Structure formats: structure tokens, C-alpha cells
Amino acid sequence: MNEKPIKRVAAIHDLSGFGKASLNVAIPVLSVMKIQVCAVPTAILSTHTGGFEGYTFLDLTNYLKEYIDHWKKLDLSFDAIYSGFLGSEKQIDITIDFIEYFSKNGNTLVVVDPVMGDDGVLYPTITNELVQEMKKLVSKSNLITPNFTEASFLLGEKFDENVSEKVLKNWLIRLSDMGPQIVIITSIPQKNKSRTGVIAYDKSDGRFWKVTNDYIHALYPGTGDAFTSVIVGSILNGDSLPIAIDRATQFVTMCLRASHGYKYPKREGILLEKVLDTLNMSPQLQCKEI
Ligand code: PXL
């Protein structure tokens, strides 16, 4: 009597009540992809931090131990562990401990989205110490999804918008040398400014993948969370790496297109609900080996 009829993800993120970020994105996206989300809320905020002032913030760091201890007593197991925005070095240590305990059987997919910054700069809450600590978390993962800014900070490299494919391949290899088998870098500036790129590497077969998409100049917080949530669901559902990337990039593009035409504050996030049902359609196959 111990069937597991559905795959399960432990999602270690904050819960920002208003706006589309972190758990408010991971739960609907993965649920539509028929995967159960088990939330490990690291903090509760009234809104996410992008563009809102005066938000309230309840740090749950000190509560997490008893929360996770209960799960240990229940002997729960997960098909994947997926972490996102983390607020302190202590939360990173707790996440590392969680990964070490719950991925003991060796079959758990560990996905780390090292949420730290965008457009060449770190978010206000991210210190240099946190960047160093994030490298430790990356070393425990199987798959990471830094954006171009986060990749440059993890490697101590300059944010150069004219970066070449050759340099990016070197970055991918160096990031995978830190631990993960698969590295996906998003938001890569393209020579053609109306495009944006995603590039990936799987060190188990040494293959590189790339796809470019229309760049929609509209900064909605939470798009990175949507991207990585789709990657997690897609890999768990048995898609190959390029198909997972196609699914995630096309979903985010669709979210942006569905949102962009409306007149409302961008800080309120993408209109996820309008396009969630597209997640169960076949993506167009656009991601190419390079
Ligand atoms: O989407 C990343 C994210 C997660 N959590 C919080 C945030 C943000 C981005 O702004 O503020 C609290």
C-alpha cells in the first residue's frame, strides 16, 4: 500500500501574496503539468519586492527546522526538489540540508534557480556573501537555470551584452564543473536586439542547445519562476532537454504576449491564468543543437 500515483516536487520558495512570483507561480504551473507541489515556504511577503513599496515580510527561517523535521518523521520522498529565491545564507544552508536528506536515494532531480539579479545587477537583498553561498547550493544540484546576470555573478565574469557563443559554451562548462549535470542560461542578449536567447549544456552527453525568441521589452517579475517551473515539470514528465526548453520558452513568451496588450501595472506580473492550459499542448520544436 505505498503506491505513488503522482510525481511530487518539494518547492522551496517564498510566498508573496500579491503578484506572480515564487510559490504563486510554481504551484499552478506544476499542478497543471499534473505534478504535486509540496511547498516549503521560506518567507511570507504581502507582495513580491519588484516594484512594490512598503511590503511586509515574515521571515520563516527559524520555523523551517520543525516544519522539515515533521516531513522527515513522515518519511516523505520527492521526485524533485526545486529551490528559488532565498533570502539569507541560513536559508541556503537549510536548503542544502534538505537536499542532502531527501535525495539520499539518488533518484531525486535537484533543480536550483539561483535567483540573485537581472540586467547586470544583483537584487537589493542579495549580498556578495549570499552569492558565495549560492555556489555551494549549486554544487548540490543536478540542474540550474541562472539568467545571464546570475551566470556572470556565479563565475565572477563581466556582464557583457556582446558575449559570443564560444564564450557562453565555456561558461556552461565551467558552471557544470561546479556540480550540476545540466546548465540552462536564460535572458542572453542577442546581436539582433529584438531577440533573446536561451543556451544549455548537458555534461552527460556533452551536447549544447540553443533557442532564440522574440524579445518583448516588458519587465514582469516572476517570468524566471515560470520558466524554471515548466522545466521541472517537463523533465519530470519525461521530456528531453531541448523539448523542456522549448516548452518553457514558449510558455513564457505566451505569458508575455497575453499580458502585454493590457493596460495594468507590470509589477502585478504576467497573466499566467490566461495561458496555463497551453502547458499541455505540444511545443514547437525550435531548440537546436549547436
Ligand atoms: O521571482 C523572483 C522573486 C521571488 N520572490 C520574491 C521576489 C522575487 C522577485 O522580485 O521579490 C520575494
Side-chain angles (χ1 to χ4, degrees):
M1 260 273 286
N2 202 8
E3 248 183 343
K4 207 138 109 321
I6 194 162
K7 290 208 170 158
R8 247 187 234 156
V9 179
I12 310 175
H13 297 252
D14 62 275
L15 175 67
S16 295
F18 186 75
K20 304 280 173 50
S22 41
L23 284 175
N24 265 351
V25 171
I27 294 172
V29 165
L30 284 156
S31 300
V32 166
M33 297 179 87
K34 302 185 174 56
I35 288 161
Q36 179 187 358
V37 177
C38 309
V40 182
T42 54
I44 300 179
L45 292 85
S46 51
T47 66
H48 61 71
T49 62
F52 290 101
E53 275 168 24
Y55 53 84
T56 64
F57 178 91
L58 176 65
D59 183 352
L60 297 179
T61 305
N62 293 329
Y63 171 61
L64 284 176
K65 188 176 177 317
E66 59 183 292
Y67 189 105
I68 295 168
D69 278 350
H70 185 218
W71 284 14
K72 290 181 180 173
K73 280 202 195 94
L74 292 174
D75 202 20
L76 298 184
S77 63
F78 304 98
D79 300 284
I81 299 167
Y82 161 32
S83 73
F85 182 92
L86 295 169
S88 65
E89 285 147 80
K90 198 160 172 208
Q91 286 189 355
I92 294 184
D93 287 340
I94 291 170
T95 306
I96 290 174
D97 180 70
F98 188 97
I99 291 169
E100 285 174 347
Y101 187 90
F102 286 102
S103 63
K104 276 190 302 233
N105 65 10
N107 302 325
T108 313
L109 173 72
V110 179
V111 176
V112 169
D113 184 7
V115 180
M116 297 190 294
D118 207 355
D119 280 330
V121 288
L122 294 175
Y123 296 131
T125 56
I126 308 292
T127 60
N128 284 327
E129 289 71 37
L130 209 102
V131 176
Q132 298 312 315
E133 200 69 12
M134 191 60 90
K135 290 187 197 171
K136 283 194 214 158
L137 180 57
V138 162
S139 77
K140 304 286 175 192
S141 69
N142 310 125
L143 189 159
I144 58 170
T145 56
N147 62 27
F148 183 55
T149 302
E150 291 152 354
S152 73
F153 275 98
L154 287 172
L155 292 170
E157 291 285 356
K158 197 160 100 275
F159 178 88
D160 173 8
E161 295 202 333
N162 298 313
V163 65
S164 69
E165 206 167 277
K166 184 157 168 254
V167 168
L168 283 168
K169 281 186 171 180
N170 170 271
W171 283 25
L172 288 166
I173 293 173
R174 284 164 56 206
L175 287 166
S176 76
D177 284 344
M178 291 173 146
Q181 178 198 320
I182 296 174
V183 178
I184 305 173
I185 304 179
T186 63
S187 305
I188 299 171
Q190 302 296 300
K191 275 202 200 81
N192 175 350
K193 297 284 177 224
S194 68
R195 307 287 288 171
T196 174
V198 174
I199 189 164
Y201 173 62
D202 181 343
K203 76 174 163 196
S204 71
D205 60 9
R207 294 209 275 179
F208 294 91
W209 301 93
K210 180 178 176 182
V211 67
T212 65
N213 281 276
D214 285 345
Y215 178 65
I216 299 170
H217 188 78
L219 209 66
Y220 294 92
T223 50
D225 298 326
F227 180 90
T228 308
S229 299
V230 178
I231 292 285
V232 172
S234 196
I235 298 280
L236 280 182
N237 284 335
D239 286 336
S240 68
L241 177 59
I243 292 180
I245 292 170
D246 276 330
R247 221 180 257 292
T249 50
Q250 285 163 37
F251 180 66
V252 171
T253 304
M254 196 94 81
C255 285
L256 290 170
R257 290 218 174 99
S259 310
H260 198 44
Y262 289 99
K263 300 172 195 65
Y264 72 99
K266 302 222 179 329
R267 66 183 189 181
E268 294 184 10
I270 43 179
L271 303 176
L272 195 66
E273 295 81 358
K274 288 197 182 276
V275 289
L276 275 175
D277 56 355
T278 64
L279 278 171
N280 289 318
M281 286 163 33
S282 299
Q284 289 181 301
L285 304 183
Q286 291 173 334
C287 188
K288 295 206 174 67
E289 191 169 355
I290 52 165

